[in-house]
């Protein structure tokens, strides 16, 4: 297992909450856990640090950071701008199959609003598909980089039944606008969706 593989394994562990903000990342412990030498662990941690997903703290070594109030605001501000733009571009460039996949996700999510874990995974897939439908590789790269910051936030904005149901219908509104070819409406719907998620996130602090 090389450094790149270790990096992706660590990302997965953070996403799954096996590793949480505040946890220490000890090279020796990770090497033993993955059954590898410290060299690929060190490489993986360096890449994690370069992405802002690990920091050095005095007397603690490498740890997974916790985002503060201002950082959360900054992340959601950029999400609103970038994902709003992605939705607007999707209304112009998305193919029929891409739109159908987004609609299928919405239809499936309406049936699983009571299953938080399943909805969280589907929500991640919806946003990934939405960004890909923009057909702008540079925008997709920027959003993916920003998404990595989201995994540092505790919990999910889909914790409450009300937010789960509202979020799914907000997704539906985005897809409808994209299917109609309305760039302005799609961008506005996506921005509203992220703004609501932002408010929910701040209420959880």
């Amino acid at each position: 297992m090389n450094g790149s593989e270790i990096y992706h394994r660590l990302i997965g562990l953070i996403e799954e909450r096996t590793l949480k903000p505040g946890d220490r990342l000890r090279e020796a412990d990770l090497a033993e856990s993955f059954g590898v030498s410290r060299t690929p662990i060190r490489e993986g941690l360096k890449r994690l640090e370069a992405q802002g997903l690990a920091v050095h703290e005095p007397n603690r070594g490498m740890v997974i950071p916790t985002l503060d109030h201002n950082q959360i605001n900054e992340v959601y501000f950029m999400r609103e701008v970038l994902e709003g733009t992605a939705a607007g571009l999707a209304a112009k460039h998305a193919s029929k199959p891409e739109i159908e996949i987004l609609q299928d996700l919405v239809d499936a999510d309406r049936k699983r609003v009571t299953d938080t874990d399943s909805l969280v995974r589907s929500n991640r897939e919806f946003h990934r598909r939405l960004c890909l439908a923009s057909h702008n590789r540079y925008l997709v790269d920027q959003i993916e980089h920003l998404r990595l910051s989201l995994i540092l936030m505790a919990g999910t904005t889909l914790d409450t039944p009300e937010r789960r149901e509202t979020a799914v219908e907000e997704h539906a509104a985005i897809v409808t606008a994209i299917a109609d070819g309305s760039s302005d409406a799609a961008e506005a719907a996506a921005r509203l969706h992220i703004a609501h998620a932002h408010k929910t996130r701040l209420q959880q602090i």
Side-chain angles (χ1 to χ4, degrees), residues 14 17 28 67 80 82 100 109 119-120 125 130 150 152 162 164 166 168 178-179 196 200 204:
I14 297 172
R17 293 298 181 217
L67 298 186
E80 187 174 330
L82 295 176
E100 289 175 348
D109 286 347
L119 194 62
V120 166
E125 178 65 6
L130 174 63
L150 292 174
L152 296 176
E162 295 80 13
R164 289 196 292 272
T166 302
V168 171
I178 291 172
H196 286 167
T200 300
Q204 294 173 333

Side-chain angles (χ1 to χ4, degrees), residues 166-184:
T166 302
V168 171
E169 294 313 311
E170 288 169 356
H171 284 180
I174 295 169
V175 177
T176 296
I178 291 172
D180 289 343
S182 177
S183 181
D184 289 344

Side-chain angles (χ1 to χ4, degrees), residues 12 19 24-25 72 134 172 200 204-205:
L19 290 174
R24 294 178 66 181
L25 298 167
I72 291 173
S134 72
T200 300
Q204 294 173 333
I205 298 176

Side-chain angles (χ1 to χ4, degrees), residues 90-122:
K92 295 179 179 179
H93 304 300
S95 64
K96 184 178 178 181
E98 286 175 318
I99 296 171
E100 289 175 348
I101 289 172
L102 289 170
Q103 186 60 58
D104 288 345
L105 286 168
V106 169
D107 292 342
D109 286 347
R110 284 175 169 148
K111 299 175 183 177
R112 57 182 165 217
V113 290
T114 57
D115 185 346
T116 303
D117 291 340
S118 178
L119 194 62
V120 166
R121 289 191 293 271
S122 181

Side-chain angles (χ1 to χ4, degrees), residues 21-22 24 31 58 71 76 126 135 137 140 165 186:
R24 294 178 66 181
Q71 288 172 310
Y76 274 94
F126 178 88
H135 289 243
R137 73 189 72 177
V140 170
E165 293 175 3

Side-chain angles (χ1 to χ4, degrees), residues 44-167:
L45 290 177
K46 283 182 179 179
R47 186 170 174 186
L48 211 64
E49 185 177 21
Q51 293 287 353
L53 300 178
V55 296
H56 278 283
E57 288 189 357
N59 305 317
R60 296 197 70 206
M62 192 82 81
V63 301
I64 299 173
T66 300
L67 298 186
D68 61 26
H69 185 274
N70 286 338
Q71 288 172 310
I72 291 173
N73 281 334
E74 290 165 3
V75 168
Y76 274 94
F77 173 81
M78 290 308 301
R79 276 196 74 193
E80 187 174 330
V81 172
L82 295 176
E83 294 198 36
T85 300
L89 288 173
K92 295 179 179 179
H93 304 300
S95 64
K96 184 178 178 181
E98 286 175 318
I99 296 171
E100 289 175 348
I101 289 172
L102 289 170
Q103 186 60 58
D104 288 345
L105 286 168
V106 169
D107 292 342
D109 286 347
R110 284 175 169 148
K111 299 175 183 177
R112 57 182 165 217
V113 290
T114 57
D115 185 346
T116 303
D117 291 340
S118 178
L119 194 62
V120 166
R121 289 191 293 271
S122 181
N123 178 68
R124 192 179 300 134
E125 178 65 6
F126 178 88
H127 284 273
R128 186 181 76 87
R129 293 283 184 177
L130 174 63
C131 293
L132 290 174
S134 72
H135 289 243
N136 186 306
R137 73 189 72 177
Y138 301 105
L139 183 59
V140 170
D141 286 346
Q142 288 300 312
I143 292 173
E144 172 60 18
H145 179 73
L146 194 64
R147 185 191 71 81
L148 293 176
S149 297
L150 292 174
I151 69 176
L152 296 176
M153 299 181 191
T156 171
T157 58
L158 300 173
D159 275 336
T160 66
E162 295 80 13
R163 180 57 198 153
R164 289 196 292 272
E165 293 175 3
T166 302

